[in-house]
């Protein structure tokens, strides 16, 4: 019986190895492929729609867990709270959110603009912050079930990166947004920011 178990385990490892090798050597990740010219080719999910962010309309209290140094093997994190308000725009094919926090005793405001393209079925997500005053390059993607994945190219400290936003709306009273960077076309990712978002009712209390 013991020998058969060992044999089964060995066979499982052997059968899995080619699959692991292909996955590691491929430029494919869930949500995009990399074209020879470096362009990200992003396909929408079959169910992608302009209603995918309806869950987020309203006001939210946010618990942030943010990596202090990106792409430098940092193990140090900062935790802080923020608030966010979300509204639909453009007859429902877009939305904006305003993010409010305090850093080093100074007020900080962020703005997210999300737009749904009815032709490509992809969402484009843009971010701007009060400390920079410009729209960052967008990430594009869609939701499949309760998980949304969005990707785009950017630079961080002169390094070319792919940015990933991931939404998990499984629990509508505890949404999870997270951000990661990749310097190797999506083979590996460093997660650098997590937000747990809980709804606030109209009286300003958690619902």
């Amino acid at each position: 019986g013991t020998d058969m178990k060992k044999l089964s385990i060995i066979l499982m490892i052997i059968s899995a190895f080619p699959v692991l090798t292909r996955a590691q050597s491929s430029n494919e990740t869930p949500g995009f492929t990399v074209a020879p010219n470096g362009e990200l080719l992003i396909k929408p999910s079959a169910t992608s729609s302009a209603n995918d962010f309806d869950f987020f309309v309203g006001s939210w209290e946010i618990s942030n867990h943010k990596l202090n140094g990106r792409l430098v093997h940092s193990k140090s994190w900062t935790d802080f709270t923020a608030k966010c308000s979300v509204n639909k725009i453009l007859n429902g094919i877009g939305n904006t959110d305003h993010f409010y926090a305090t850093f080093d005793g100074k007020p900080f405001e962020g703005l997210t603009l999300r737009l749904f393209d009815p032709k490509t079925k992809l969402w484009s997500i843009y971010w701007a912050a009060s400390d920079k005053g410009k729209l960052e390059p967008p990430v594009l993607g869609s939701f499949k079930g309760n998980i949304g994945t969005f990707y785009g190219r950017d630079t961080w400290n002169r390094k070319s990166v792919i940015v990933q936003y991931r939404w998990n709306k499984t629990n509508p009273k505890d949404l999870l947004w997270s951000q990661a960077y990749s310097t190797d076309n999506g083979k590996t990712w460093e997660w650098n920011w997590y937000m747990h978002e809980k709804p606030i009712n109209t009286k300003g209390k958690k619902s």
Side-chain angles (χ1 to χ4, degrees), residues 66 103 107-110 127-134 136:
K66 191 175 182 181
F103 293 133
F108 175 91
E109 181 178 349
W127 165 257
S130 57
D131 61 343
K132 292 185 178 179
K134 66 177 183 179
E136 303 293 342

Side-chain angles (χ1 to χ4, degrees), residues 7 21 25 27 34 38 45 49 63 68 73 90 92 94 100-101 120 141 146 161 169 172 190 204 206-207:
L7 180 60
T21 303
S25 64
N27 283 334
V34 180
S45 70
S49 81
S63 297
N68 289 330
H73 308 291
L90 302 177
Y100 302 96
T120 65
N146 287 323
V161 298
K169 60 176 183 176
E190 178 186 81
K206 293 182 186 179
S207 61

Side-chain angles (χ1 to χ4, degrees), residues 2-207:
T2 302
D3 290 340
M4 287 300 295
K5 286 182 180 179
K6 288 181 179 178
L7 180 60
S8 296
I9 293 171
I10 292 170
L11 288 174
M12 286 174 63
I13 293 171
I14 292 172
S15 63
F17 182 77
V19 176
L20 291 171
T21 303
R22 284 196 299 270
Q24 290 167 352
S25 64
S26 171
N27 283 334
E28 295 186 2
T29 72
F32 75 87
T33 56
V34 180
N37 65 358
E39 180 185 359
L40 301 187
L41 305 178
I42 303 168
K43 292 183 178 181
S45 70
T47 57
S48 182
S49 81
N51 299 316
D52 284 339
F53 278 98
D54 286 3
F55 70 93
F56 199 33
V57 175
S59 298
W60 303 84
E61 183 172 84
I62 304 172
S63 297
N64 293 267
H65 188 55
K66 191 175 182 181
L67 191 64
N68 289 330
R70 299 176 185 177
L71 305 178
V72 292
H73 308 291
S74 175
K75 303 295 183 183
S76 174
W77 296 77
T78 294
D79 295 318
F80 64 96
T81 59
K83 290 188 177 180
C84 178
S85 60
V86 186
N87 297 285
K88 280 193 170 188
I89 60 171
L90 302 177
N91 290 330
I93 66 163
N95 61 76
T96 60
D97 77 55
H98 284 81
F99 175 94
Y100 302 96
T102 300
F103 293 133
D104 299 324
K106 298 179 181 179
F108 175 91
E109 181 178 349
L111 171 70
T112 307
L113 170 65
R114 302 179 186 86
L115 299 171
F116 180 77
D117 187 328
K119 292 183 179 179
T120 65
K121 304 293 184 183
L122 289 171
W123 283 91
S124 297
I125 304 178
Y126 301 81
W127 165 257
S130 57
D131 61 343
K132 292 185 178 179
K134 66 177 183 179
L135 281 179
E136 303 293 342
V139 293
L140 281 71
S142 59
F143 271 88
K144 184 176 182 180
N146 287 323
I147 306 299
T149 51
F150 307 86
Y151 304 94
R153 286 203 177 275
D154 202 347
T155 57
W156 180 261
N157 288 342
R158 299 182 180 180
K159 292 180 181 178
S160 177
V161 298
I162 296 177
V163 181
Q164 177 182 172
Y165 290 178
R166 180 173 293 179
W167 273 100
N168 186 332
K169 60 176 183 176
T170 303
N171 182 352
K173 292 191 176 182
D174 187 6
L175 306 175
L176 177 61
W177 174 92
S178 49
Q179 175 181 266
Y181 285 176
S182 174
T183 58
D184 55 12
N185 282 337
K187 293 177 183 177
T188 60
W189 296 92
E190 178 186 81
W191 294 91
N192 57 53
W193 197 345
Y194 298 90
M195 294 184 186
H196 280 277
E197 315 205 22
K198 299 179 185 296
I200 301 173
N201 66 20
T202 55
K203 294 181 181 180
K205 299 178 181 178
K206 293 182 186 179
S207 61

